[in-house]
Amino acid sequence: MSRGLDSSQRAAFERDGFVILRTFADVSVTAAIHEAAVELARRESVESATGANQPFVLPESNLRDVEVHFAEQAVSKVFRVHRRDPFRSFATRADLLEAVVSLIGTNALSCFLSQFIFKNPGAWGQPCHQDSFYFPFTPMRPVVGVWLACTDATLDNGCLWVVPGSHRESIHEHVPDQRPNANVGYVEIVDHDLTSAVPVEMTTGDLLLFDSYLMHFSTDNRSSRPRAAMVYHYAKSSTNDRTVETRGYTINDWMTIPADNP
Ligand SMILES: O=C(O)CCC(=O)C(=O)O
Protein backbone atom coordinates (compact mmCIF):
# COMPACT_ATOMS: atom_id res chain seq x y z
CA MET A 1 0.00 0.00 0.00
CA SER A 2 1.33 3.46 -0.88
CA ARG A 3 2.39 5.58 2.09
CA GLY A 4 3.41 8.69 0.14
CA LEU A 5 2.63 12.02 1.82
CA ASP A 6 -0.85 13.46 1.46
CA SER A 7 -1.48 17.19 1.10
CA SER A 8 -1.90 17.81 4.83
CA GLN A 9 1.36 16.03 5.61
CA ARG A 10 3.16 18.06 2.93
CA ALA A 11 1.62 21.24 4.33
CA ALA A 12 2.81 20.29 7.83
CA PHE A 13 6.32 19.70 6.50
CA GLU A 14 6.34 23.09 4.78
CA ARG A 15 4.99 24.87 7.85
CA ASP A 16 6.97 23.09 10.58
CA GLY A 17 9.97 21.64 8.73
CA PHE A 18 9.10 18.08 9.74
CA VAL A 19 6.38 15.46 9.67
CA ILE A 20 6.00 12.19 11.60
CA LEU A 21 4.66 9.01 9.98
CA ARG A 22 3.53 6.78 12.82
CA THR A 23 3.91 2.95 12.60
CA PHE A 24 5.78 3.25 9.31
CA ALA A 25 7.97 0.15 9.74
CA ASP A 26 7.30 -3.24 11.30
CA VAL A 27 9.28 -4.24 14.35
CA SER A 28 10.78 -7.05 12.23
CA VAL A 29 12.33 -4.36 9.98
CA THR A 30 13.72 -2.21 12.79
CA ALA A 31 15.02 -5.33 14.57
CA ALA A 32 16.84 -6.51 11.42
CA ILE A 33 18.46 -3.07 11.02
CA HIS A 34 19.43 -2.99 14.70
CA GLU A 35 20.93 -6.50 14.56
CA ALA A 36 22.92 -5.67 11.42
CA ALA A 37 24.29 -2.53 13.09
CA VAL A 38 25.35 -4.56 16.13
CA GLU A 39 27.14 -7.01 13.83
CA LEU A 40 28.98 -4.17 12.08
CA ALA A 41 29.95 -2.54 15.37
CA ARG A 42 31.45 -5.85 16.53
CA ARG A 43 33.22 -6.59 13.23
CA GLU A 44 34.49 -3.24 12.02
CA SER A 45 37.17 -1.86 14.28
CA VAL A 46 37.19 1.89 14.70
CA GLU A 47 40.67 2.15 13.18
CA SER A 48 40.06 -0.03 10.12
CA ALA A 49 36.79 1.53 9.11
CA THR A 50 38.23 4.36 7.06
CA GLY A 51 38.10 2.95 3.51
CA ALA A 52 35.86 4.69 0.97
CA ASN A 53 32.35 3.24 0.99
CA GLN A 54 33.14 1.17 4.09
CA PRO A 55 31.14 1.53 7.30
CA PHE A 56 32.67 4.09 9.62
CA VAL A 57 32.36 3.35 13.33
CA LEU A 58 32.38 6.30 15.71
CA PRO A 59 32.98 5.63 19.42
CA GLU A 60 30.81 7.20 22.12
CA SER A 61 33.09 9.60 23.99
CA ASN A 62 30.99 9.70 27.14
CA LEU A 63 31.37 5.92 27.51
CA ARG A 64 35.04 5.64 26.66
CA ASP A 65 36.08 4.70 30.20
CA VAL A 66 33.17 2.36 30.84
CA GLU A 67 33.83 -1.37 30.83
CA VAL A 68 31.64 -3.04 28.21
CA HIS A 69 30.83 -6.65 27.38
CA PHE A 70 30.04 -6.04 23.71
CA ALA A 71 31.69 -3.60 21.30
CA GLU A 72 28.44 -1.88 20.34
CA GLN A 73 27.92 -0.73 23.93
CA ALA A 74 30.75 1.79 23.44
CA VAL A 75 29.74 2.88 19.92
CA SER A 76 27.95 6.12 19.16
CA LYS A 77 27.18 5.73 15.44
CA VAL A 78 27.93 3.51 12.45
CA PHE A 79 27.99 5.61 9.28
CA ARG A 80 27.90 4.75 5.56
CA VAL A 81 25.84 1.57 5.61
CA HIS A 82 23.23 2.32 2.94
CA ARG A 83 24.73 0.17 0.17
CA ARG A 84 24.29 -3.05 2.15
CA ASP A 85 21.17 -4.84 3.32
CA PRO A 86 19.08 -4.53 5.39
CA PHE A 87 19.95 -0.80 5.45
CA ARG A 88 19.70 -0.52 1.67
CA SER A 89 16.34 -2.20 1.36
CA PHE A 90 14.84 0.23 3.84
CA ALA A 91 16.51 3.22 2.14
CA THR A 92 14.99 2.18 -1.19
CA ARG A 93 11.55 1.13 0.02
CA ALA A 94 8.92 2.36 -2.44
CA ASP A 95 6.70 3.99 0.17
CA LEU A 96 9.65 5.77 1.80
CA LEU A 97 10.90 7.02 -1.57
CA GLU A 98 7.42 8.23 -2.54
CA ALA A 99 7.39 10.36 0.58
CA VAL A 100 10.92 11.70 -0.01
CA VAL A 101 10.28 12.36 -3.72
CA SER A 102 7.19 14.37 -2.85
CA LEU A 103 9.34 16.61 -0.62
CA ILE A 104 12.40 16.89 -2.87
CA GLY A 105 10.36 17.30 -6.03
CA THR A 106 12.15 14.85 -8.32
CA ASN A 107 12.76 11.13 -8.55
CA ALA A 108 16.33 11.80 -9.76
CA LEU A 109 17.33 11.19 -6.19
CA SER A 110 20.33 9.96 -4.21
CA CYS A 111 20.79 8.74 -0.69
CA PHE A 112 24.15 10.27 0.30
CA LEU A 113 24.45 9.60 4.03
CA SER A 114 23.37 6.94 6.48
CA GLN A 115 24.01 6.39 10.16
CA PHE A 116 22.81 3.98 12.77
CA ILE A 117 22.76 5.67 16.17
CA PHE A 118 23.07 3.39 19.21
CA LYS A 119 22.56 6.07 21.89
CA ASN A 120 23.45 3.65 24.67
CA PRO A 121 22.68 4.39 28.33
CA GLY A 122 24.91 7.30 29.34
CA ALA A 123 25.51 8.44 25.74
CA TRP A 124 25.64 12.15 24.99
CA GLY A 125 22.73 13.91 23.38
CA GLN A 126 23.56 15.82 20.20
CA PRO A 127 23.50 19.61 20.66
CA CYS A 128 21.23 21.87 18.62
CA HIS A 129 22.25 22.01 14.97
CA GLN A 130 20.99 22.24 11.40
CA ASP A 131 22.09 19.26 9.31
CA SER A 132 22.90 21.48 6.34
CA PHE A 133 25.75 22.95 8.40
CA TYR A 134 27.47 19.62 7.64
CA PHE A 135 26.49 19.69 3.95
CA PRO A 136 28.40 22.26 1.82
CA PHE A 137 26.31 21.54 -1.27
CA THR A 138 25.33 23.47 -4.36
CA PRO A 139 22.45 23.98 -4.21
CA MET A 140 22.20 23.76 -0.42
CA ARG A 141 18.66 22.43 -0.56
CA PRO A 142 16.41 20.52 -0.84
CA VAL A 143 17.91 17.91 1.47
CA VAL A 144 15.62 15.66 3.50
CA GLY A 145 16.53 13.62 6.58
CA VAL A 146 14.71 10.46 7.55
CA TRP A 147 14.89 9.27 11.19
CA LEU A 148 13.53 5.79 11.92
CA ALA A 149 12.95 4.84 15.55
CA CYS A 150 14.56 1.42 16.13
CA THR A 151 13.57 1.54 19.81
CA ASP A 152 11.05 3.76 21.52
CA ALA A 153 12.45 7.29 21.88
CA THR A 154 11.35 9.00 25.08
CA LEU A 155 12.18 12.05 27.19
CA ASP A 156 14.18 9.78 29.47
CA ASN A 157 16.29 8.00 26.87
CA GLY A 158 17.08 11.06 24.75
CA CYS A 159 14.47 11.55 22.04
CA LEU A 160 14.91 14.27 19.44
CA TRP A 161 13.68 17.81 20.02
CA VAL A 162 12.82 20.07 17.08
CA VAL A 163 12.21 23.80 16.73
CA PRO A 164 9.09 24.02 14.53
CA GLY A 165 9.45 26.55 11.70
CA SER A 166 13.21 26.98 12.21
CA HIS A 167 13.85 25.52 8.73
CA ARG A 168 13.05 29.02 7.48
CA GLU A 169 16.17 30.37 9.23
CA SER A 170 19.46 30.63 7.38
CA ILE A 171 22.27 28.34 8.52
CA HIS A 172 23.41 29.74 11.86
CA GLU A 173 26.90 29.82 13.24
CA HIS A 174 27.78 26.45 14.82
CA VAL A 175 30.42 26.34 17.58
CA PRO A 176 32.13 23.17 18.86
CA ASP A 177 30.28 21.26 21.57
CA GLN A 178 32.02 22.56 24.73
CA ARG A 179 31.41 19.52 26.96
CA PRO A 180 34.53 17.67 28.11
CA ASN A 181 34.87 14.51 25.96
CA ALA A 182 32.26 15.75 23.49
CA ASN A 183 31.64 13.39 20.62
CA VAL A 184 33.67 13.98 17.45
CA GLY A 185 31.78 16.27 15.09
CA TYR A 186 29.26 17.60 17.61
CA VAL A 187 28.63 21.32 17.16
CA GLU A 188 26.10 23.70 18.60
CA ILE A 189 23.96 26.69 17.71
CA VAL A 190 24.18 29.19 20.56
CA ASP A 191 22.60 32.27 18.96
CA HIS A 192 18.99 31.11 18.76
CA ASP A 193 16.25 30.89 21.37
CA LEU A 194 15.28 27.23 21.82
CA THR A 195 12.31 27.73 24.17
CA SER A 196 9.86 26.82 21.39
CA ALA A 197 11.52 23.40 20.88
CA VAL A 198 9.19 20.42 21.20
CA PRO A 199 10.10 16.80 21.98
CA VAL A 200 9.47 14.16 19.33
CA GLU A 201 8.67 11.06 21.33
CA MET A 202 8.42 8.06 19.06
CA THR A 203 7.47 4.42 19.19
CA THR A 204 9.61 1.78 17.48
CA GLY A 205 8.84 1.91 13.75
CA ASP A 206 7.73 5.57 13.69
CA LEU A 207 9.44 7.70 11.05
CA LEU A 208 10.38 11.39 11.16
CA LEU A 209 10.98 13.26 7.89
CA PHE A 210 12.75 16.59 8.37
CA ASP A 211 14.17 19.50 6.43
CA SER A 212 17.97 19.77 6.64
CA TYR A 213 17.64 23.42 7.80
CA LEU A 214 15.46 22.42 10.78
CA MET A 215 17.09 23.12 14.16
CA HIS A 216 17.04 19.99 16.28
CA PHE A 217 18.87 18.34 19.13
CA SER A 218 18.63 15.38 21.47
CA THR A 219 19.25 14.99 25.19
CA ASP A 220 21.54 12.50 26.93
CA ASN A 221 20.30 8.96 27.47
CA ARG A 222 19.54 8.89 31.19
CA SER A 223 17.76 5.54 31.03
CA SER A 224 19.12 2.02 31.35
CA ARG A 225 18.30 1.00 27.77
CA PRO A 226 19.63 2.03 24.34
CA ARG A 227 17.67 4.55 22.27
CA ALA A 228 18.48 3.42 18.75
CA ALA A 229 17.66 5.08 15.42
CA MET A 230 18.49 4.69 11.73
CA VAL A 231 19.01 7.96 9.87
CA TYR A 232 19.31 8.60 6.11
CA HIS A 233 19.72 11.78 4.07
CA TYR A 234 18.52 12.34 0.50
CA ALA A 235 19.12 15.05 -2.11
CA LYS A 236 18.81 15.57 -5.84
CA SER A 237 21.39 13.46 -7.69
CA SER A 238 22.51 16.59 -9.53
CA THR A 239 23.68 18.20 -6.27
CA ASN A 240 27.34 19.26 -6.19
CA ASP A 241 28.86 17.98 -2.94
CA ARG A 242 31.89 20.11 -1.92
CA THR A 243 32.54 18.36 1.41
CA VAL A 244 36.03 17.12 0.53
CA GLU A 245 37.10 20.54 -0.81
CA THR A 246 35.65 22.27 2.24
CA ARG A 247 36.54 19.88 5.06
CA GLY A 248 39.25 17.65 3.60
CA TYR A 249 37.32 14.41 4.16
CA THR A 250 33.84 13.01 3.77
CA ILE A 251 31.61 10.29 5.14
CA ASN A 252 29.09 10.87 2.36
CA ASP A 253 28.55 8.19 -0.29
CA TRP A 254 26.19 9.20 -3.12
CA MET A 255 24.00 6.23 -4.05
CA THR A 256 21.68 6.93 -6.96
CA ILE A 257 18.16 5.64 -6.55
CA PRO A 258 17.06 4.00 -9.83
CA ALA A 259 14.46 6.16 -11.61
CA ASP A 260 11.90 3.34 -11.67
CA ASN A 261 12.16 3.15 -7.90
CA PRO A 262 9.67 4.37 -6.77
O1 LIG B 1 19.36 10.93 17.25
C1 LIG B 1 20.01 11.76 17.86
O2 LIG B 1 20.20 11.70 19.08
C2 LIG B 1 20.57 12.95 17.12
C3 LIG B 1 20.48 12.78 15.66
C4 LIG B 1 20.66 14.03 14.90
O3 LIG B 1 20.60 15.10 15.43
C5 LIG B 1 20.92 13.97 13.49
O4 LIG B 1 20.95 12.87 12.93
O5 LIG B 1 21.10 15.03 12.86
Side-chain angles (χ1 to χ4, degrees):
M1 188 182 73
S2 169
R3 298 284 302 268
L5 297 188
D6 62 27
S7 56
S8 69
Q9 290 168 325
R10 278 205 296 275
F13 186 91
E14 271 177 33
R15 183 188 62 236
D16 299 329
F18 68 95
V19 65
I20 304 168
L21 307 185
R22 300 285 179 192
T23 64
F24 187 84
D26 289 341
V27 172
S28 60
V29 172
T30 57
I33 287 174
H34 200 153
E35 276 164 32
V38 166
E39 198 183 308
L40 282 176
R42 291 182 185 180
R43 205 173 64 210
E44 304 277 340
S45 85
V46 173
E47 294 78 21
S48 71
T50 52
N53 301 341
Q54 290 301 304
F56 178 84
V57 180
L58 191 71
E60 171 59 52
S61 300
N62 208 24
L63 299 175
R64 67 181 184 182
D65 296 326
V66 173
E67 197 176 320
V68 297
H69 299 293
F70 300 104
E72 72 274 11
Q73 292 171 322
V75 169
S76 170
K77 303 183 179 186
V78 184
F79 288 97
R80 213 159 44 196
V81 295
H82 51 281
R83 287 188 190 271
R84 59 182 71 210
D85 279 332
F87 311 103
R88 180 192 171 95
S89 40
F90 186 79
T92 57
R93 243 173 81 154
D95 53 358
L96 175 64
L97 293 174
E98 280 168 14
V100 175
V101 163
S102 70
L103 298 174
I104 292 199
T106 174
N107 65 355
L109 199 67
S110 291
C111 174
F112 66 88
L113 179 63
S114 55
Q115 51 188 298
F116 184 87
I117 308 179
F118 281 100
K119 195 94 182 257
N120 287 303
W124 288 125
Q126 187 158 353
C128 185
H129 63 283
Q130 294 161 294
D131 287 349
S132 275
F133 168 78
Y134 295 100
F135 306 147
F137 294 172
T138 307
M140 286 289 282
R141 45 198 333 186
V143 174
V144 169
V146 162
W147 197 104
L148 172 69
C150 293
T151 61
D152 294 352
T154 65
L155 292 177
D156 205 32
N157 70 11
C159 68
L160 282 186
W161 290 66
V162 297
V163 183
S166 59
H167 62 306
R168 286 190 286 275
E169 296 280 321
S170 57
I171 298 299
H172 281 234
E173 183 188 4
H174 287 63
V175 302
D177 183 346
Q178 297 299 318
R179 295 173 294 186
N181 295 335
N183 276 341
V184 171
Y186 278 15
V187 290
E188 184 170 16
I189 295 171
V190 291
D191 65 354
H192 192 78
D193 180 12
L194 300 180
T195 49
S196 60
V198 294
V200 185
E201 291 191 271
M202 293 169 78
T203 300
T204 307
D206 289 351
L207 188 81
L208 173 77
L209 295 152
F210 62 105
D211 188 292
S212 63
Y213 274 51
L214 183 74
M215 293 184 187
H216 61 286
F217 58 93
S218 66
T219 47
D220 302 345
N221 184 351
R222 296 182 304 267
S223 79
S224 56
R225 300 170 70 87
R227 189 242 60 194
M230 184 66 222
V231 187
Y232 302 91
H233 283 82
Y234 297 85
K236 291 181 179 173
S237 297
S238 56
T239 304
N240 181 19
D241 178 351
R242 294 175 292 105
T243 307
V244 172
E245 297 89 308
T246 309
R247 298 183 187 270
Y249 68 93
T250 190
I251 51 171
N252 297 341
D253 177 13
W254 288 75
M255 180 180 82
T256 307
I257 307 291
D260 60 350
N261 192 357

